[in-house]
Amino acid sequence: MELHVHDSHEGVSRTAAETVSDTVSENPGANLLLPTGSTPRGMYRELVRLYREGGLSLSDTTIFNLDEYLGIPRDHPESYRRYMQENLYRHVDADPARTHIPDAETPAPEEECLRYDAAIKETGGADLCVLGIGRNGHIGFNEPGSPFSSRTRVMGLAESTRRANAEGFDAGAAPEQAITVGMQTIFESRKVLLLASGPEKAEAVAAAVEGEVSPQTPASMLREHPDVTFLLDREAASALRREVA
Ligand code: PGA
């Protein structure tokens, strides 16, 4: 694995956006597996800037999202479908027929998971997967205990995740369940980039980078991937024992 530490969150966002942009420049028909949450907002802002400056087109690119809450309206302000519209799609030339996110309102979640996983597989897997990391080490919504062999499925969210993501939900917590792509689905991506910023991620990052490789810290399993880079800011890197440049 590679570890890059930037002085600021902005550096993480810029480098992440450049990696996405380089992937798409080399192969306009690339398949991307992309995250939501507060961490990647800066990356999306940078991608929009690159598009406006004429250096990026997403018109031939296929984009899958990692996850979506289950049982909320598709256009709920906190749905990840809305997030992608607001943060990326309404500003760029992405083709709606090539953008995918699990259906939050599906009456048949198990079928939806199978359909979504098969759709990613049909594209040949992701050329680039960009991830955030939860305070408990989750990636996508693969909470602690997620086996390496897991594929897209319904996941009960950890209480800490529901609280961390509570903003915008009336109940004071995020929904109880989500659909997430699985660990193996993530692993089948040719290149993986994990972004982490801020002191609240330091323990999870240290466990992922220097702890035991274990389903208890799903992000630690990425160390077995042949092409994974952790992009951190100084605060997110602050609990690492190793020297960071
Ligand atoms: P955050 O979420 O970027 O909102 O901190 C990260 C995650 O839970 O994967």
Side-chain angles (χ1 to χ4, degrees), residues 59-126:
S59 61
D60 292 327
T61 305
T62 298
I63 301 176
F64 287 90
N65 269 97
L66 287 160
D67 44 24
E68 175 63 290
Y69 294 115
L70 201 50
I72 60 171
R74 287 183 197 104
D75 62 353
H76 187 288
E78 297 302 319
S79 79
Y80 290 156
R81 182 181 296 265
R82 268 288 280 279
Y83 175 106
M84 290 305 289
Q85 282 301 332
E86 299 299 326
N87 287 279
L88 186 65
Y89 296 147
R90 66 194 283 257
H91 308 287
V92 300
D93 62 349
D95 175 357
R98 293 179 202 268
T99 64
H100 308 274
I101 189 151
D103 182 2
E105 290 186 86
T106 178
E110 306 300 335
E111 281 86 343
E112 172 65 1
C113 293
L114 291 175
R115 182 197 68 77
Y116 198 73
D117 209 272
I120 296 174
K121 249 197 158 154
E122 265 163 36
T123 68

